[in-house]
Amino acid sequence: MSSPFHRGEKVMANPLKFWFLLLLMWEPLPCCSLITVTPFLTRCTSNRMSCSGAITSRRSARSDVGESAYGVGMNQEDMMDSDMLVAVDAKDRPILDQIVSKKEAHVFSPDSPRGVAHRAFSVFLFNSNGEMLLTKRASSKITFPDVWTNTCCSHPLHNMIPNEVDEVDALPEFPGIKHAAIRKLKHELGISPKDVPHQDFRFLTRFHYWASDTLTYGSDAPWGEHEIDYCLMIQCPGTIQLDPNPEEVGEIQWVSADELRDLMLSSEGSSEQRLWSPWFRGIMERGGFTWWGDLEEALKEGSKYCNKDITYFDPPPEHTGSYNLPTHGQDMGVLKNSKQEH
């Protein structure tokens, strides 16, 4: 029997027959199944890449209520140019008359040795067993690729719906930061907003840190981080469906606090050491393990661990670039807020 497309003139003359024959020939495309939460390490790249077309179409077609189309059809370079970050002064007050792109904020050089200080958030997501979801940043990430870190690390942005730019007096709710966290958990890990309700996030504290990405690029690294980082914790009681984006995440792993301590210790001096993001190490050394050990309290509204502090720390020595000098103070890379100087 010849294909109906060899008889196109006759088929097209009868539109109903054309669609009927097309329906008979149609076969559903294979699609990757969602990754269900498991307590062991899962590699995200190979399975996702093998059927990227199917997943891309599913991602773009799905439209949960309030879900943003952020990141669809964009690569790392695109987001470097299009993401407009929230530059802040030393007191974390937004500088609204100086909008900086993600690229501008993360460029490190002798003229800009710590980039531009901006807002960020770090999400610590726990399952019902009290295990934290770790992620390994994808190899395609421009800053700090292939390092292990907490569940999700990113930035609130200007021009987003819902609004992600909080006033500094929005403590402790910080609704904009939480909206940003929901957006990026969806973008990076495929977590549905219904599994991470806005009201279930708990803000605890902020850290002001900087780090040059010398482990990737050497002592003259052109990229780095300089952030006032909001720590957000959330626990999901049920099964979480994960669909990691290989442009963002290389591997995932659920760990207990003791397992994370062992992983961090075993990485020191090992020939097969696991690299950790400098912000994650800094946070865990300055309260992270304490909050985890008292998770029920940390997740309460009005938790005793919630505060308005902004704790500053310098990076480990290996994250210091050739242009980072001992004479540089905490205000290096922090823009002045002309509207609120006093």
Side-chain angles (χ1 to χ4, degrees), residues 124-151:
F124 298 79
L125 185 148
F126 301 88
N127 63 18
S128 58
N129 296 323
E131 297 168 316
M132 185 199 301
L133 180 62
L134 300 182
T135 58
K136 182 181 180 182
R137 289 165 66 87
S139 299
S140 59
K141 298 287 283 183
I142 294 173
T143 58
F144 298 93
D146 296 315
V147 302
W148 284 88
T149 193
N150 49 286
T151 311

Side-chain angles (χ1 to χ4, degrees), residues 261-280:
R261 286 192 184 93
D262 290 343
L263 285 170
M264 287 183 158
L265 287 174
S266 64
S267 295
E268 297 178 4
S270 170
S271 59
E272 298 181 358
Q273 67 177 359
R274 180 179 288 202
L275 300 177
W276 302 94
S277 73
W279 60 88
F280 183 46

Side-chain angles (χ1 to χ4, degrees), residues 93-160:
R93 296 175 299 196
I95 301 177
L96 300 179
D97 58 351
Q98 298 186 61
I99 308 300
V100 297
S101 70
K102 184 177 179 181
K103 181 177 181 179
E104 292 168 332
H106 290 82
V107 168
F108 276 38
S109 70
D111 294 330
S112 183
R114 296 187 186 178
V116 178
H118 54 276
R119 273 191 190 160
F121 60 84
S122 287
V123 174
F124 298 79
L125 185 148
F126 301 88
N127 63 18
S128 58
N129 296 323
E131 297 168 316
M132 185 199 301
L133 180 62
L134 300 182
T135 58
K136 182 181 180 182
R137 289 165 66 87
S139 299
S140 59
K141 298 287 283 183
I142 294 173
T143 58
F144 298 93
D146 296 315
V147 302
W148 284 88
T149 193
N150 49 286
T151 311
C152 180
C153 325
S154 193
H155 315 93
L157 302 178
H158 285 285
N159 306 320
M160 298 301 292

